[in-house]
C-alpha cells in the first residue's frame, strides 16, 4: 500500500503494486493486514489517477476483489470501506 501512495502517479508502478497486493491478499490472513495499511484507499486512488490505463484498472479490480473477500464481518467491513473510498465510481 505504501508504494501505491508514494508512486500512484506512475501507472506501471501502480499496476505492479496492485498485482502484488492481489497476490498477497489471496491468503485470508493478509486481507485485514492490507486493509489496516490503507490498501483499499490506495488501490482506489491509483484507479482514479489512471482511469484510461487498462492494466491499472484490471489489476486494481483484482486487488480490490481479493482485499475485500470474505463472508465474515471483517470482509463485509472491507467491502463497505471500498465503497466509501469510491471503488464503485473508480470502476
Amino acid at each position: 500500500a505504501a508504494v501505491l501512495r508514494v508512486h500512484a502517479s506512475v501507472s506501471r508502478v501502480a499496476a505492479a503494486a496492485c498485482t502484488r497486493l492481489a497476490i498477497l491478499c489471496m491468503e485470508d490472513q493478509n486481507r485485514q493486514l492490507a486493509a489496516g495499511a490503507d490498501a483499499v484507499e490506495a488501490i482506489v486512488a491509483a484507479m482514479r489517477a489512471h482511469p484510461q490505463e487498462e492494466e491499472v484498472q484490471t489489476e486494481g479490480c483484482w486487488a480490490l476483489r481479493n482485499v475485500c473477500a470474505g463472508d465474515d464481518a471483517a470482509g463485509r467491513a472491507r467491502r463497505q470501506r471500498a465503497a466509501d473510498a469510491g471503488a464503485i465510481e473508480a470502476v
Side-chain angles (χ1 to χ4, degrees), residues 3 5 9 11-12 14 18 21 25 31 33 42 48 51 56 63-64 67 70 78 80 84 91:
V3 170
R5 283 190 297 277
S9 63
S11 65
R12 63 184 163 73
C18 286
L21 280 168
C25 292
R31 292 178 185 140
L33 292 171
R48 284 185 169 172
V56 175
L64 283 172
V67 172
R78 291 190 300 271
Q80 184 60 56
D84 292 345
V91 174

Side-chain angles (χ1 to χ4, degrees), residues 6-74:
V6 174
H7 300 288
S9 63
V10 181
S11 65
R12 63 184 163 73
V13 174
C18 286
T19 300
R20 296 293 176 243
L21 280 168
I23 291 167
L24 285 169
C25 292
M26 291 174 77
E27 297 184 29
D28 294 340
Q29 68 271 17
N30 292 334
R31 292 178 185 140
Q32 199 59 38
L33 292 171
D38 297 330
V40 171
E41 292 81 2
I43 294 164
V44 172
M47 293 175 72
R48 284 185 169 172
H50 304 284
Q52 301 302 316
E53 293 290 334
E54 181 180 348
E55 188 176 13
V56 175
Q57 295 299 309
T58 300
E59 299 305 316
C61 285
W62 184 34
L64 283 172
R65 182 251 178 245
N66 287 356
V67 172
C68 295
D71 292 327
D72 59 354

